[in-house]
DNA sequence: GACAAACGCGAGTGGTCGCTCGCATTCTTG
DNA sequence: CAAGAATGCGAGCGACCACTCGCGTTTGTC
């Protein structure tokens, strides 16, 4: 029987501390964005935030915890703002509209928070971060699966899963292109991503059988 | 006027040395594949090859040179084996066939040499390596562009360029999925990639104008 | 105002990694 | 076989990085 107070309250923060945390997370986002996670040094993050390394470690036990907290906050914000973007649609909804609005929402979020892509995409993510990545990936894939299932009822579940993975992969690839451009070119690339997805999925919703 | 012998012959290699180089490159490919470039330590590469760190530096001036040489050999081999995969096709060739054979060839090469993807994809590539990456990227994109141009003559060059980038991005995303699976699933994903590309490009080759 | 707790600092510590150096061994060449 | 070059070794050097520690400052509480 272990003690009753296994989890001690980590600390009692002051308003100043919360501000510092936000400041440090913003600085970390900046540094992660430009150099990636592994190449980002904690000293650089502290410098970017205008504080000393010791101050950084006052609020985060280690480098990984910074990325974890940043990722958690981003995931939370994404869930709040765009959680319904992949909800199953009415049977009558045209595919263009469903895909278009979903792509628009996620593109907006990702261009507003480029760190998200940087943290989730790099092969240099730490162990605990990979878990979070996998969990989010699974969640999003499941959402896409149910969306696809609502579009093409009676299809082989394995096919639906595979197509969901392909859709997410296409979106990620498109996101990379979108983030690499600005203005009109960026808008044009967003439209291309929609086109790719719509044309990929359109033959599946029309109930004429596909010869494979 | 600078001296005539600016570039000294670096060294006169024995057969043993060439063998060691091949051995070291193979070990480096293994380590790069599993841990990525930055996380790969030269000591680990030497250990994998069964030699000492000093021996490694007998043949490569630094860590970057290992990746460069490996990349150069891979690019060379790819050019030799699959250089014609993206050649422009006869006007009568169906799109399915052109895309199918190109995807098959590149997928075969990339699954046979997974290091290639690891070296070209990671955000942790060194400066000189990024140049090689960009150069290859440009070359391949130009090839795709001319292939697309032969399929849809009279299109806006900017559109062609954009679509070429989208095609390459879709291929890369598909490659990631393909490399993550094996056997029948892998084959199914390859087919999905072909489907995505064919359906993306099919409306463009029929000469009815697209309203954009 | 007094006390404690949270905050802030930055030089320092232990560890890792890229890379070197001196020396031993093997090969080529005459 | 002798000389020199190429190959092979592995302890160790310098740099960098995640993280710590002791001490001074600010803030909340009574």
């Amino acid at each position: 029987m272990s003690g009753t107070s296994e989890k001690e309250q980590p600390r009692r923060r002051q308003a100043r501390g919360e501000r510092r945390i936000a400041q440090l997370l913003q600085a970390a986002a900046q540094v992660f964005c430009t150099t990636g996670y592994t190449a980002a040094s904690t000293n650089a993050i502290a410098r970017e935030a205008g504080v000393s390394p010791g101050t950084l470690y006052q609020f985060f036990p280690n480098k990984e915890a910074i990325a974890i907290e940043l990722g958690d906050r981003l995931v939370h914000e994404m869930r709040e703002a765009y959680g319904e973007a992949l909800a199953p649609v009415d049977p009558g909804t045209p595919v263009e509209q469903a895909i278009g609005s979903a792509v628009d929402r996620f593109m907006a979020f990702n261009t507003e928070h480029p760190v998200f892509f940087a943290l989730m995409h790099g092969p240099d993510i730490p162990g605990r971060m990979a878990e979070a990545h996998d969990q989010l990936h699974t969640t999003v894939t499941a959402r896409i699966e149910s969306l696809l299932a609502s579009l093409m009822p009676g299809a082989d579940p394995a096919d639906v899963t595979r197509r969901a993975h392909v859709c997410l992969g296409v979106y990620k690839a498109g996101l990379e292109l979108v983030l690499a451009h600005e203005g009109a070119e960026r808008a044009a690339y967003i439209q291309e991503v929609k086109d790719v997805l719509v044309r990929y999925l359109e033959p599946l919703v029309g109930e004429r059988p596909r010869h494979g």
Side-chain angles (χ1 to χ4, degrees), chain A:
Chain A
M1 329 154 201
S2 16
T4 53
S5 61
E6 279 183 6
K7 302 228 166 188
E8 8 143 12
Q9 318 257 78
R11 210 150 209 184
R12 189 178 152 262
R13 309 239 91 106
Q14 301 180 351
R16 200 181 6 155
E18 298 290 346
R19 257 181 281 131
R20 277 271 179 267
I21 290 179
Q23 187 182 2
L24 282 163
L25 287 176
Q26 185 177 343
Q30 172 74 26
V31 178
F32 287 157
C33 245
T34 57
T35 71
Y37 173 80
T38 357
S41 85
T42 55
N43 291 14
I45 295 174
R47 201 181 318 121
E48 174 78 24
V51 302
S52 87
T55 298
L56 186 152
Y57 282 93
Q58 182 89 9
F59 302 101
F60 298 99
N62 49 49
K63 179 180 170 182
E64 187 177 351
I66 305 172
I68 301 289
E69 178 66 22
L70 191 55
D72 280 354
R73 293 197 179 195
L74 284 169
V75 167
H76 186 260
E77 186 173 346
M78 192 176 91
R79 285 231 160 86
E80 291 248 318
Y82 305 104
E84 307 302 324
L86 290 177
V89 295
D90 296 335
T93 313
V95 209
E96 282 95 338
Q97 184 179 318
I99 291 175
S101 70
V103 168
D104 279 336
R105 284 161 177 266
F106 281 101
M107 284 290 178
F109 180 82
N110 277 309
T111 52
E112 212 169 346
H113 305 283
V115 220
F116 193 72
F117 183 69
L119 274 184
M120 290 302 181
H121 191 251
D124 54 354
I125 47 183
R128 172 82 170 68
M129 198 72 198
E131 289 177 29
H133 175 277
D134 285 353
Q135 185 187 339
L136 179 67
H137 189 275
T138 305
T139 304
V140 172
T141 305
R143 288 274 201 139
I144 300 178
E145 275 186 70
S146 63
L147 176 62
L148 289 185
S150 78
L151 284 175
M152 34 189 282
D156 182 355
D159 280 357
V160 174
T161 301
R162 203 180 305 117
R163 276 187 248 277
H165 281 117
V166 171
C167 286
L168 186 53
V170 166
Y171 171 77
K172 281 188 190 173
L175 175 58
E176 199 161 359
L177 288 169
V178 166
L179 289 176
H181 295 84
E182 284 183 359
E185 267 302 289
R186 171 173 292 187
Y189 273 106
I190 292 180
Q191 185 56 48
E192 291 297 316
V193 174
K194 291 179 191 174
D195 285 356
V196 173
L197 290 174
V198 167
R199 287 175 197 159
Y200 172 52
L201 295 179
E202 224 166 22
L204 311 179
V205 308
E207 57 270 73
R208 64 168 173 277
R210 192 176 141 260
H211 103 291

